Amino acid sequence: MVKVNVLLALLSASASSAFTINAPPTFLHQHRQHKSLPSTFLSSKTTTVLRAGGFEWEDPTENLDSGVENPFKNPELLEKIGEDGEGMTIDPARLLGPRLQGSNLYFVGMMGSGKSAVGDAVARRMGSYNFLDTDTIIESVTNATITEIFAQEGEDTFRDIESQVLDSVHAHVRCVVSTGGGIVKKLSNWAKLQSGVVIWIDVPPSVIYNRIKDKDDRPLLQNDNPLETLEKLLEERKPRYSQADVRIEVNDESMSIEDVASKVVQDLHNFIDENPPAWKIAKAKAQAEGLDWV
Protein backbone atom coordinates (compact mmCIF):
# COMPACT_ATOMS: atom_id res chain seq x y z
CA MET A 1 0.00 0.00 0.00
CA VAL A 2 1.48 3.33 -1.03
CA LYS A 3 1.29 6.26 1.37
CA VAL A 4 0.86 9.84 0.24
CA ASN A 5 1.56 12.61 2.76
CA VAL A 6 -0.58 15.69 2.27
CA LEU A 7 -0.03 18.96 4.12
CA LEU A 8 -3.28 20.59 5.21
CA ALA A 9 -3.70 24.32 5.64
CA LEU A 10 -3.35 25.56 9.20
CA LEU A 11 -6.08 25.85 11.75
CA SER A 12 -3.82 28.20 13.73
CA ALA A 13 -1.53 30.94 12.50
CA SER A 14 1.68 29.25 13.61
CA ALA A 15 1.33 25.47 13.33
CA SER A 16 0.94 22.96 10.49
CA SER A 17 -1.00 19.71 10.32
CA ALA A 18 -0.32 16.67 8.14
CA PHE A 19 -2.19 13.48 7.48
CA THR A 20 -1.70 10.37 5.41
CA ILE A 21 -3.95 8.98 2.71
CA ASN A 22 -3.66 5.32 1.79
CA ALA A 23 -4.85 4.32 -1.68
CA PRO A 24 -4.17 1.47 -4.13
CA PRO A 25 -0.92 1.82 -6.15
CA THR A 26 -2.84 1.93 -9.45
CA PHE A 27 -4.88 4.87 -8.27
CA LEU A 28 -1.91 6.80 -6.93
CA HIS A 29 0.14 6.09 -10.04
CA GLN A 30 -2.46 7.90 -12.10
CA HIS A 31 -2.96 10.69 -9.57
CA ARG A 32 0.44 11.07 -7.91
CA GLN A 33 0.57 14.83 -8.37
CA HIS A 34 -1.33 15.75 -5.24
CA LYS A 35 -1.70 19.30 -4.01
CA SER A 36 -2.14 21.15 -0.76
CA LEU A 37 -5.42 22.70 0.23
CA PRO A 38 -5.73 26.40 -0.58
CA SER A 39 -5.24 28.64 2.42
CA THR A 40 -8.80 29.88 1.95
CA PHE A 41 -10.08 26.48 3.05
CA LEU A 42 -8.99 27.04 6.61
CA SER A 43 -8.74 30.62 7.74
CA SER A 44 -5.99 31.59 10.18
CA LYS A 45 -6.96 31.95 13.80
CA THR A 46 -5.07 33.42 16.73
CA THR A 47 -5.21 31.44 19.95
CA THR A 48 -3.68 32.30 23.31
CA VAL A 49 -1.19 29.53 24.08
CA LEU A 50 0.30 29.32 27.57
CA ARG A 51 3.23 27.25 28.81
CA ALA A 52 3.01 25.26 32.02
CA GLY A 53 5.45 22.63 33.23
CA GLY A 54 7.06 22.45 29.79
CA PHE A 55 3.76 21.82 28.01
CA GLU A 56 1.67 24.09 25.82
CA TRP A 57 -1.99 24.48 26.63
CA GLU A 58 -4.83 26.77 25.64
CA ASP A 59 -6.28 29.09 28.24
CA PRO A 60 -9.55 27.32 29.22
CA THR A 61 -11.23 30.63 30.01
CA GLU A 62 -11.35 31.33 26.26
CA ASN A 63 -13.70 28.39 25.76
CA LEU A 64 -16.15 29.08 28.58
CA ASP A 65 -19.75 29.98 27.89
CA SER A 66 -19.19 33.45 29.42
CA GLY A 67 -22.87 33.59 30.31
CA VAL A 68 -24.10 33.79 26.71
CA GLU A 69 -27.68 32.60 26.53
CA ASN A 70 -30.12 31.68 23.77
CA PRO A 71 -30.74 34.90 21.81
CA PHE A 72 -34.07 33.60 20.56
CA LYS A 73 -35.27 33.48 24.17
CA ASN A 74 -33.41 36.67 25.12
CA PRO A 75 -33.90 39.12 22.21
CA GLU A 76 -31.98 41.85 24.04
CA LEU A 77 -28.80 39.90 23.32
CA LEU A 78 -29.23 40.68 19.63
CA GLU A 79 -29.04 44.42 20.12
CA LYS A 80 -25.78 46.32 20.37
CA ILE A 81 -25.19 50.04 20.77
CA GLY A 82 -22.81 51.46 18.18
CA GLU A 83 -20.32 54.31 18.57
CA ASP A 84 -22.89 56.76 17.26
CA GLY A 85 -25.42 55.60 19.81
CA GLU A 86 -27.50 53.81 17.19
CA GLY A 87 -28.71 50.28 17.82
CA MET A 88 -27.37 47.44 15.70
CA THR A 89 -28.65 43.90 15.32
CA ILE A 90 -26.27 41.04 16.08
CA ASP A 91 -26.56 37.84 14.03
CA PRO A 92 -27.57 35.05 16.49
CA ALA A 93 -25.07 32.81 14.69
CA ARG A 94 -22.29 34.95 16.20
CA LEU A 95 -23.36 33.81 19.65
CA LEU A 96 -23.06 30.12 18.81
CA GLY A 97 -19.26 30.03 19.10
CA PRO A 98 -18.98 30.70 22.85
CA ARG A 99 -21.95 28.44 23.55
CA LEU A 100 -20.48 25.50 21.58
CA GLN A 101 -17.15 25.81 23.43
CA GLY A 102 -15.14 24.64 20.42
CA SER A 103 -17.27 21.60 19.55
CA ASN A 104 -17.37 20.86 15.82
CA LEU A 105 -20.57 20.91 13.80
CA TYR A 106 -20.99 17.97 11.40
CA PHE A 107 -23.56 18.17 8.61
CA VAL A 108 -24.90 14.82 7.41
CA GLY A 109 -27.60 13.90 4.91
CA MET A 110 -28.20 12.70 1.40
CA MET A 111 -26.28 13.93 -1.62
CA GLY A 112 -27.83 17.10 -2.98
CA SER A 113 -29.44 18.01 0.34
CA GLY A 114 -27.42 21.22 0.56
CA LYS A 115 -24.97 20.28 3.31
CA SER A 116 -22.04 22.16 1.78
CA ALA A 117 -23.95 25.33 0.91
CA VAL A 118 -25.73 25.51 4.27
CA GLY A 119 -22.63 24.55 6.26
CA ASP A 120 -20.58 27.25 4.54
CA ALA A 121 -23.31 29.83 5.21
CA VAL A 122 -23.47 28.89 8.90
CA ALA A 123 -19.68 29.07 9.30
CA ARG A 124 -19.50 32.47 7.60
CA ARG A 125 -22.22 33.84 9.86
CA MET A 126 -20.58 32.42 13.00
CA GLY A 127 -17.32 34.13 12.14
CA SER A 128 -15.23 32.13 14.63
CA TYR A 129 -15.52 28.72 12.94
CA ASN A 130 -13.80 27.33 9.82
CA PHE A 131 -15.71 25.49 7.10
CA LEU A 132 -14.51 22.16 5.67
CA ASP A 133 -16.03 19.84 3.08
CA THR A 134 -14.75 16.25 3.22
CA ASP A 135 -15.52 15.62 -0.47
CA THR A 136 -13.58 18.71 -1.51
CA ILE A 137 -10.62 17.67 0.66
CA ILE A 138 -10.66 14.20 -0.92
CA GLU A 139 -10.59 15.68 -4.43
CA SER A 140 -7.79 18.01 -3.39
CA VAL A 141 -5.49 15.39 -1.88
CA THR A 142 -6.06 12.79 -4.61
CA ASN A 143 -6.17 15.24 -7.53
CA ALA A 144 -9.20 13.35 -8.82
CA THR A 145 -12.94 13.90 -8.80
CA ILE A 146 -15.25 11.75 -6.70
CA THR A 147 -16.66 10.30 -9.93
CA GLU A 148 -13.15 9.30 -11.10
CA ILE A 149 -12.37 7.61 -7.78
CA PHE A 150 -15.61 5.60 -7.92
CA ALA A 151 -15.01 4.63 -11.57
CA GLN A 152 -11.38 3.57 -11.18
CA GLU A 153 -11.25 2.14 -7.66
CA GLY A 154 -14.83 1.63 -6.54
CA GLU A 155 -16.88 2.81 -3.60
CA ASP A 156 -14.92 0.81 -0.98
CA THR A 157 -11.70 2.66 -1.77
CA PHE A 158 -13.52 5.98 -1.69
CA ARG A 159 -15.00 5.16 1.72
CA ASP A 160 -11.54 4.24 3.04
CA ILE A 161 -10.11 7.58 1.91
CA GLU A 162 -13.16 9.36 3.31
CA SER A 163 -12.60 7.76 6.71
CA GLN A 164 -8.95 8.83 6.74
CA VAL A 165 -9.92 12.42 5.96
CA LEU A 166 -12.47 12.36 8.79
CA ASP A 167 -9.77 10.99 11.12
CA SER A 168 -7.74 14.11 10.47
CA VAL A 169 -10.57 16.64 10.45
CA HIS A 170 -12.20 15.50 13.68
CA ALA A 171 -8.95 16.10 15.58
CA HIS A 172 -9.48 19.85 15.13
CA VAL A 173 -11.93 22.13 16.91
CA ARG A 174 -14.11 25.07 15.88
CA CYS A 175 -14.99 23.60 12.50
CA VAL A 176 -18.22 23.32 10.52
CA VAL A 177 -17.82 20.13 8.49
CA SER A 178 -19.90 19.01 5.51
CA THR A 179 -19.64 15.26 5.00
CA GLY A 180 -20.43 12.84 2.18
CA GLY A 181 -23.87 11.27 2.19
CA GLY A 182 -22.54 7.76 2.83
CA ILE A 183 -20.04 8.63 5.55
CA VAL A 184 -22.46 7.30 8.16
CA LYS A 185 -22.25 3.78 6.72
CA LYS A 186 -19.16 3.02 8.82
CA LEU A 187 -19.77 2.77 12.55
CA SER A 188 -16.26 4.09 13.24
CA ASN A 189 -17.09 7.25 11.28
CA TRP A 190 -20.32 7.73 13.20
CA ALA A 191 -18.41 7.53 16.48
CA LYS A 192 -16.12 10.36 15.33
CA LEU A 193 -19.04 12.48 14.17
CA GLN A 194 -20.59 12.16 17.61
CA SER A 195 -17.56 13.88 19.13
CA GLY A 196 -19.27 17.07 17.93
CA VAL A 197 -22.84 18.15 17.19
CA VAL A 198 -24.42 16.27 14.26
CA ILE A 199 -26.94 18.10 12.06
CA TRP A 200 -29.09 16.16 9.59
CA ILE A 201 -30.33 18.14 6.59
CA ASP A 202 -33.41 16.04 5.80
CA VAL A 203 -34.65 16.60 2.25
CA PRO A 204 -37.17 14.31 0.44
CA PRO A 205 -35.67 12.26 -2.44
CA SER A 206 -38.08 13.88 -4.91
CA VAL A 207 -36.74 17.35 -4.05
CA ILE A 208 -33.14 16.14 -4.27
CA TYR A 209 -33.83 14.52 -7.63
CA ASN A 210 -35.19 17.76 -9.05
CA ARG A 211 -32.03 19.54 -7.90
CA ILE A 212 -29.48 17.15 -9.37
CA LYS A 213 -31.23 15.31 -12.23
CA ASP A 214 -29.29 17.21 -14.88
CA LYS A 215 -25.88 16.68 -13.25
CA ASP A 216 -23.48 13.80 -13.89
CA ASP A 217 -21.24 14.16 -10.81
CA ARG A 218 -23.17 11.69 -8.62
CA PRO A 219 -21.67 8.25 -9.35
CA LEU A 220 -24.25 6.32 -7.32
CA LEU A 221 -27.04 7.76 -9.47
CA GLN A 222 -25.67 6.79 -12.88
CA ASN A 223 -28.42 4.28 -13.62
CA ASP A 224 -31.85 4.01 -15.25
CA ASN A 225 -33.82 5.03 -12.16
CA PRO A 226 -31.89 7.56 -10.03
CA LEU A 227 -34.97 8.57 -8.02
CA GLU A 228 -35.54 4.99 -6.92
CA THR A 229 -31.85 4.76 -6.01
CA LEU A 230 -32.14 7.90 -3.88
CA GLU A 231 -35.14 6.42 -2.07
CA LYS A 232 -33.30 3.15 -1.38
CA LEU A 233 -30.16 4.93 -0.18
CA LEU A 234 -32.20 7.09 2.20
CA GLU A 235 -33.97 4.02 3.53
CA GLU A 236 -30.60 2.37 4.23
CA ARG A 237 -29.05 5.41 5.90
CA LYS A 238 -32.05 6.83 7.71
CA PRO A 239 -31.54 4.80 10.92
CA ARG A 240 -28.15 6.49 11.35
CA TYR A 241 -29.23 9.92 10.13
CA SER A 242 -32.13 9.89 12.59
CA GLN A 243 -29.66 9.70 15.47
CA ALA A 244 -28.37 13.19 14.68
CA ASP A 245 -28.53 15.80 17.44
CA VAL A 246 -30.41 18.28 15.25
CA ARG A 247 -32.75 17.48 12.36
CA ILE A 248 -33.59 20.17 9.82
CA GLU A 249 -36.50 19.23 7.58
CA VAL A 250 -36.51 20.93 4.18
CA ASN A 251 -39.82 20.02 2.59
CA ASP A 252 -40.43 23.36 0.91
CA GLU A 253 -38.46 23.79 -2.31
CA SER A 254 -38.74 27.54 -1.93
CA MET A 255 -36.52 27.55 1.17
CA SER A 256 -33.27 29.34 0.36
CA ILE A 257 -29.81 28.46 1.67
CA GLU A 258 -30.05 31.34 4.14
CA ASP A 259 -33.49 30.18 5.28
CA VAL A 260 -32.12 26.73 6.08
CA ALA A 261 -28.98 28.21 7.70
CA SER A 262 -31.16 30.39 9.94
CA LYS A 263 -33.18 27.35 10.96
CA VAL A 264 -29.93 25.52 11.78
CA VAL A 265 -28.75 28.43 13.96
CA GLN A 266 -32.01 28.60 15.89
CA ASP A 267 -32.24 24.84 16.42
CA LEU A 268 -28.61 24.70 17.57
CA HIS A 269 -29.28 27.34 20.22
CA ASN A 270 -32.29 25.33 21.39
CA PHE A 271 -30.26 22.11 21.39
CA ILE A 272 -27.60 23.70 23.59
CA ASP A 273 -30.34 24.81 26.03
CA GLU A 274 -31.63 21.26 26.21
CA ASN A 275 -28.14 19.76 26.58
CA PRO A 276 -26.14 22.15 28.80
CA PRO A 277 -22.49 21.37 29.63
CA ALA A 278 -21.79 19.53 32.88
CA TRP A 279 -20.33 22.58 34.63
CA LYS A 280 -23.50 24.59 33.99
CA ILE A 281 -25.65 21.81 35.46
CA ALA A 282 -23.38 21.69 38.53
CA LYS A 283 -23.56 25.48 38.89
CA ALA A 284 -27.36 25.49 38.74
CA LYS A 285 -27.52 22.70 41.32
CA ALA A 286 -25.14 24.51 43.67
CA GLN A 287 -27.08 27.75 43.39
CA ALA A 288 -30.37 25.94 43.99
CA GLU A 289 -28.89 24.54 47.19
CA GLY A 290 -27.78 28.00 48.31
CA LEU A 291 -24.08 27.32 47.78
CA ASP A 292 -21.57 29.77 46.40
CA TRP A 293 -20.25 28.95 42.95
CA VAL A 294 -16.58 29.80 42.53
Side-chain angles (χ1 to χ4, degrees):
M1 189 73 73
V2 178
K3 293 185 177 180
V4 178
N5 293 318
V6 183
L7 293 179
L8 283 177
L10 305 184
L11 274 175
S12 64
S14 60
S16 64
S17 172
F19 67 92
T20 300
I21 297 294
N22 296 314
T26 54
F27 178 76
L28 294 177
H29 176 73
Q30 296 166 358
H31 302 283
R32 65 177 62 191
Q33 297 300 320
H34 58 270
K35 54 187 177 182
S36 298
L37 288 179
S39 58
T40 52
F41 259 115
L42 295 173
S43 59
S44 296
K45 184 175 179 63
T46 302
T47 303
T48 302
V49 179
L50 307 177
R51 294 183 179 277
F55 297 93
E56 290 187 350
W57 59 288
E58 292 185 15
D59 186 350
T61 60
E62 290 190 349
N63 296 326
L64 291 181
D65 190 310
S66 302
V68 177
E69 300 296 338
N70 188 336
F72 294 97
K73 297 178 181 178
N74 302 274
E76 65 276 6
L77 295 175
L78 300 180
E79 294 185 4
K80 179 180 179 181
I81 304 300
E83 295 179 358
D84 57 0
E86 295 291 330
M88 298 183 295
T89 301
I90 299 175
D91 188 335
R94 293 279 175 173
L95 302 180
L96 275 175
R99 301 198 75 204
L100 286 167
Q101 301 177 36
S103 295
N104 289 340
L105 300 178
Y106 293 101
F107 282 81
V108 301
M110 292 291 289
M111 64 184 87
S113 60
K115 301 183 297 291
S116 298
V118 174
D120 183 51
V122 170
R124 289 176 184 276
R125 288 175 56 179
M126 290 178 68
S128 58
Y129 269 51
N130 299 294
F131 175 71
L132 294 171
D133 185 313
T134 57
D135 281 354
T136 302
I137 294 175
I138 290 170
E139 291 187 337
S140 238
V141 300
T142 60
N143 197 31
T145 66
I146 304 300
T147 301
E148 289 173 336
I149 298 173
F150 267 78
Q152 296 176 28
E153 299 297 337
E155 183 178 1
D156 288 345
T157 294
F158 172 78
R159 297 300 173 198
D160 288 342
I161 297 174
E162 182 178 58
S163 295
Q164 293 175 63
V165 168
L166 182 62
D167 281 343
S168 177
V169 168
H170 109 285
H172 296 292
V173 296
R174 300 184 187 90
C175 290
V176 176
V177 184
S178 170
T179 65
I183 202 168
V184 300
K185 293 176 64 175
K186 286 190 175 183
L187 185 59
S188 58
N189 288 344
W190 185 246
K192 293 180 178 67
L193 295 175
Q194 289 186 306
S195 65
V197 180
V198 183
I199 304 158
W200 174 23
I201 305 297
D202 182 12
V203 184
S206 58
V207 175
I208 294 176
Y209 176 71
N210 287 333
R211 291 178 179 177
I212 65 177
K213 61 183 178 181
D214 296 324
K215 300 180 180 179
D216 59 1
D217 59 348
R218 309 288 179 172
L220 292 178
L221 300 184
Q222 303 308 305
N223 54 55
D224 295 333
N225 197 333
L227 177 57
E228 182 180 348
T229 300
L230 280 170
E231 292 170 342
K232 289 181 177 179
L233 288 173
L234 177 58
E235 192 66 25
E236 293 172 3
R237 300 169 182 175
K238 194 170 184 176
R240 198 60 54 80
Y241 288 155
S242 62
Q243 296 178 46
D245 300 302
V246 175
R247 177 182 180 179
I248 306 296
E249 295 185 81
V250 184
N251 295 317
D252 186 352
E253 292 190 55
S254 66
M255 287 184 71
S256 67
I257 293 171
E258 283 302 326
D259 289 337
V260 180
S262 293
K263 178 63 174 170
V264 169
V265 170
Q266 182 171 1
D267 284 9
L268 280 172
H269 275 296
N270 292 336
F271 172 78
I272 295 170
D273 281 351
E274 297 162 3
N275 299 272
W279 70 266
K280 183 171 281 191
I281 296 174
K283 178 180 180 179
K285 181 179 179 180
Q287 291 175 334
E289 296 175 354
L291 303 175
D292 291 332
W293 178 267
V294 179

